[in-house]
Amino acid sequence: MVVQDFTAKTKELIDNLKGVCTSYGLGNDGNEFKIITQVFLYKFMNDKFGYEVKQLDSTLKNAEKWEEAIAGYSDDAYEMLLLGMSPNSARLKRQHYISYLFGKQTQEEFAKFFDDTLRDIAITNNDIFSVKTNSGSRIRLFDELSQYISDPSQRDNFCRALINQLVNFSFEQIFDQKFDFFSTIFEYLIKDYNKDGGGKYAEYYTPHAVAKIMASILVDTPVYDVTCYDPSAGSGTLLMNLAHAIGEDRCTIYSQDISQKSSGMLRLNLILNNLVHSIPNIVQGNTMLSPYHKTGDALMTFDYIVSNPPFKLDFSDYYPELDTKRNNERFFAGIPNIPNKDKDKMSIYLLFIQHIIHSLSPKGRAAVVVPTGFITAQSGIEKKIRQKLVDERMLRGVVSMPSNIFATTGTNVSILFIDKANTKGDIVLMDAAKLGKIIKEGKNQKTLLSHDEEQQIINAFNRHEAVEDFSVVLSYEQIRDKNYSFSAGQYFDVKIDYTDITPDEFLAKMNGFTQNLNALFAESRTLEDEIKAQLAGLRYEH
């Protein structure tokens, strides 16, 4: 079965699960997201388990139904099989299999049996798959899904309907696929649940073009055994693209995000993309107030950092806890003031940029999405941050993106690239605002970059190419001379087109201009006379 067939069948499975939720009154319910993603994950883990045990025992690989063949194992033999599996794989008991639940549908209290099974899987694999909070407590893999049905009499049938959707095909033949397949599936799985209407801590999905450009510029040479971090990870699009560019087995992911929903999405993304080993480093919590990842009392530093932080957010409720001496080094340029009105417009992204700079290892690199206004502001915290990047020689460049690259916000954005090893300069500033094609997405407009346009940006940046009206390559001194502006347009050459002509040609052009002016003046006088005549003819009548 080809990848396209699996993609279609996977999307059909997701749609069918949503159909079950709708049939039982949970369509567009706040809990639908948990049900869909957790049932999908159960299916994925079951099939991944089957795929892996088949690699360990050819008897299972050749069996028509591996679940029936494995039933003949003694308990000791089954335990030995589990020991041979990857340490990042889910350990399933035989009563955890989907086929086992499918065969038990006629028993009473099936919903309780279903919930107990998922709970036992979560407990058995808690050390591998649970997400931590700032306080150190663990968020387990599965909830009691039947409890989201308010009518207890419908719970058994609801759980039976879910199980019936999981037996129509297997993922086993697709596990050799990589990032592109699973990123497509992940996007489809969460597309209805990652909107910008989620209240105070709304998640904004980073477009793949932005994520690809960030990763491809950050990782321009092979690297090994590196750490990657996102202090506002969301569903993990930036981290997944970064890990894919590096190699999933050559990096360890760290993240923090205040949203429980986002942390759940990121966990799912890590499982789908063969990054289970990093799940213990996924933390739900407030990065600005209580950064979790530390070495002793000091914040950890990382080799690669990516972030699309929230731009504006009310953080006045914990402002006093940020504005303390212990944060002076981290927030070196200061903390944005609390406005008298519209506290939601507090520029929290300025805290994230400072936190990221503080969290870079000695040779660390970072890519951060910022509002384009940041790159030219002539005072305040924005300019202090830009001065530090230039004066301490760690600016790698800026790419100003087309407007509406994010369909959810009209704010123009740029990507800021930081490189602590870029001491020699050779800074690339790029204006990509004219690229892309505008399309309609819902009620909003969105700009899409073609593959060639993405490569145009990546290649020009990584090759340090100066392209007329597109990119410039500068020294730190040149940026200081322009008052620390990071806008490419301020460095473009001003060109005046001119043509060599003879004196006779010059005289002929001047005569032509004079004749045209005389004609226009004559026409103007005629119009003046007509207007006066019209006014003179006006009469007042009762």
Side-chain angles (χ1 to χ4, degrees):
M1 190 181 295
V2 297
V3 170
Q4 289 86 347
D5 291 336
F6 268 101
T7 302
K9 284 186 172 294
T10 304
K11 290 181 177 180
E12 181 182 355
L13 168 63
I14 295 166
D15 290 340
N16 289 344
L17 291 174
K18 290 180 180 178
V20 172
C21 288
T22 300
S23 298
Y24 284 85
L26 292 172
N28 298 318
D29 182 271
N31 295 311
E32 184 188 25
F33 159 74
K34 294 180 180 179
I35 296 167
I36 300 299
T37 54
Q38 291 185 27
V39 172
F40 179 88
L41 183 56
Y42 172 43
K43 166 68 173 170
F44 184 88
M45 293 173 70
N46 177 90
D47 294 356
K48 185 75 177 287
F49 181 88
Y51 170 82
E52 293 201 8
V53 295
K54 287 181 179 181
Q55 312 308 307
L56 297 173
D57 188 339
S58 58
T59 303
L60 299 176
K61 194 169 188 177
N62 297 325
E64 184 176 348
K65 293 184 177 180
W66 64 268
E67 298 96 330
E68 293 180 1
I70 213 169
Y73 277 51
S74 67
D75 289 344
D76 288 343
Y78 191 80
E79 192 62 33
M80 288 299 296
L81 184 70
L82 295 183
L83 290 173
M85 295 179 66
S86 161
N88 296 321
S89 298
R91 270 43 177 182
L92 299 185
K93 302 172 185 176
R94 281 173 275 202
Q95 62 267 33
H96 290 160
Y97 302 161
I98 289 173
S99 59
Y100 187 82
L101 266 70
F102 183 74
K104 294 287 185 179
Q105 289 188 71
T106 57
Q107 76 174 48
E108 293 183 7
E109 296 187 330
F110 180 74
K112 183 179 185 303
F113 182 62
F114 177 87
D115 286 340
D116 288 347
T117 299
L118 294 189
R119 184 191 305 108
D120 195 43
I121 294 172
I123 293 170
T124 303
N125 296 278
N126 203 39
D127 290 343
I128 305 174
F129 294 107
S130 63
V131 170
K132 291 194 288 285
T133 66
N134 265 47
S135 64
S137 61
R138 293 178 178 269
I139 302 171
R140 286 208 307 252
L141 195 59
F142 297 119
D143 298 316
E144 294 184 3
L145 300 182
S146 73
Q147 303 305 305
Y148 297 127
I149 300 293
S150 56
D151 182 355
S153 68
Q154 293 296 312
R155 290 173 182 169
D156 287 350
N157 288 334
F158 173 67
C159 292
R160 291 183 184 113
L162 291 175
I163 281 292
N164 286 333
Q165 298 301 328
L166 305 184
V167 294
N168 295 323
F169 81 105
S170 173
F171 281 116
E172 289 177 41
Q173 297 178 46
I174 208 70
F175 287 121
D176 292 328
Q177 294 299 315
K178 280 291 189 178
F179 174 77
D180 291 337
F181 171 78
F182 290 110
S183 65
T184 301
I185 294 307
F186 178 76
E187 285 180 33
Y188 192 80
L189 182 61
I190 70 167
K191 67 183 176 69
D192 294 327
Y193 311 115
N194 201 29
K195 304 298 185 184
D196 60 333
K200 185 174 182 180
Y201 299 109
E203 295 87 356
Y204 288 93
Y205 190 81
T206 307
H208 257 300
V210 175
K212 177 184 175 183
I213 289 167
M214 291 169 72
S216 299
I217 290 175
L218 282 178
V219 188
D220 55 348
T221 57
V223 293
Y224 301 88
D225 193 23
V226 293
T227 54
C228 305
Y229 174 56
D230 188 338
S232 56
S235 57
T237 302
L238 292 180
L239 284 171
M240 295 305 103
N241 277 267
L242 180 61
H244 182 53
I246 294 170
E248 291 84 356
D249 58 342
R250 299 203 295 267
C251 65
T252 304
I253 299 293
Y254 295 80
S255 80
Q256 191 165 350
D257 197 287
I258 199 166
S259 165
Q260 181 175 330
K261 184 171 78 170
S262 290
S263 298
M265 288 182 179
L266 177 55
R267 172 169 56 187
L268 174 60
N269 221 345
L270 290 170
I271 292 170
L272 294 180
N273 284 287
N274 202 30
L275 285 158
V276 170
H277 62 275
S278 291
I279 290 178
N281 306 322
I282 306 308
V283 176
Q284 181 204 330
N286 188 325
T287 308
M288 295 301 98
L289 182 61
S290 304
Y292 181 86
H293 300 293
K294 295 182 179 180
T295 303
D297 292 331
L299 293 186
M300 275 185 70
T301 59
F302 302 94
D303 301 312
Y304 291 90
I305 301 178
V306 286
S307 184
N308 175 21
F311 289 173
K312 305 287 185 181
L313 191 68
D314 177 9
F315 58 91
S316 59
D317 52 346
Y318 55 89
Y319 187 101
E321 297 175 72
L322 296 177
D323 194 16
T324 59
K325 284 186 178 180
R326 69 183 178 87
N327 276 319
N328 283 350
E329 186 179 356
R330 182 164 63 129
F331 301 132
F332 58 87
I335 300 173
N337 293 325
I338 303 173
N340 293 327
K341 298 179 180 179
D342 296 329
K343 291 182 181 179
D344 286 341
K345 293 184 179 179
M346 295 176 71
S347 297
I348 195 170
Y349 81 95
L350 295 171
L351 297 181
F352 275 96
I353 297 175
Q354 294 176 81
H355 172 80
I356 287 165
I357 293 171
H358 186 71
S359 301
L360 278 172
S361 66
K363 293 186 178 180
R365 290 182 169 189
V368 190
V369 179
V370 299
T372 294
F374 166 82
I375 68 177
T376 56
Q378 288 304 301
S379 62
I381 296 173
E382 295 91 336
K383 188 173 181 183
K384 288 180 182 178
I385 294 172
R386 298 203 315 272
Q387 283 181 292
K388 182 181 179 72
L389 294 175
V390 173
D391 292 345
E392 297 190 14
R393 307 179 79 82
M394 63 173 98
L395 174 66
R396 189 172 176 213
V398 172
V399 177
S400 294
M401 299 299 290
S403 60
N404 301 118
I405 198 75
F406 287 80
T408 52
T409 174
T411 305
N412 289 339
V413 303
S414 296
I415 307 172
L416 172 67
F417 291 93
I418 305 169
D419 184 352
K420 278 201 168 182
N422 197 42
T423 56
K424 294 181 180 178
D426 218 14
I427 299 145
V428 181
L429 301 183
M430 185 178 296
D431 183 357
K434 296 178 182 177
L435 300 183
K437 177 183 178 182
I438 297 176
I439 64 166
K440 195 82 171 173
E441 186 169 285
K443 296 180 180 179
N444 302 312
Q445 285 188 331
K446 183 178 182 179
T447 301
L448 291 181
L449 295 175
S450 68
H451 175 268
D452 289 344
E453 288 172 327
E454 293 171 3
Q455 284 304 131
Q456 179 184 353
I457 293 170
I458 294 164
N459 292 341
F461 198 106
N462 285 342
R463 295 170 183 169
H464 302 279
E465 292 177 350
V467 180
E468 185 176 337
D469 293 333
F470 183 67
S471 61
V472 290
V473 182
L474 305 166
S475 67
Y476 287 113
E477 289 69 26
Q478 287 174 294
I479 293 179
R480 285 194 194 97
D481 291 343
K482 287 284 189 181
N483 205 19
Y484 297 94
S485 172
F486 292 178
S487 172
Q490 294 194 20
Y491 298 87
F492 290 154
D493 292 332
V494 177
K495 292 183 172 60
I496 301 174
D497 292 331
Y498 67 92
T499 306
D500 288 329
I501 58 176
T502 65
D504 290 342
E505 289 172 332
F506 175 77
L507 185 59
K509 283 184 176 291
M510 293 304 294
N511 287 335
F513 292 149
T514 301
Q515 290 172 7
N516 286 337
L517 281 172
N518 288 337
L520 290 171
F521 290 155
E523 185 178 352
S524 175
R525 287 192 292 271
T526 301
L527 288 172
E528 288 174 8
D529 292 341
E530 288 180 1
I531 292 169
K532 289 177 181 178
Q534 291 291 336
L535 288 173
L538 291 177
R539 296 289 185 269
Y540 175 77
E541 295 182 1
H542 291 286

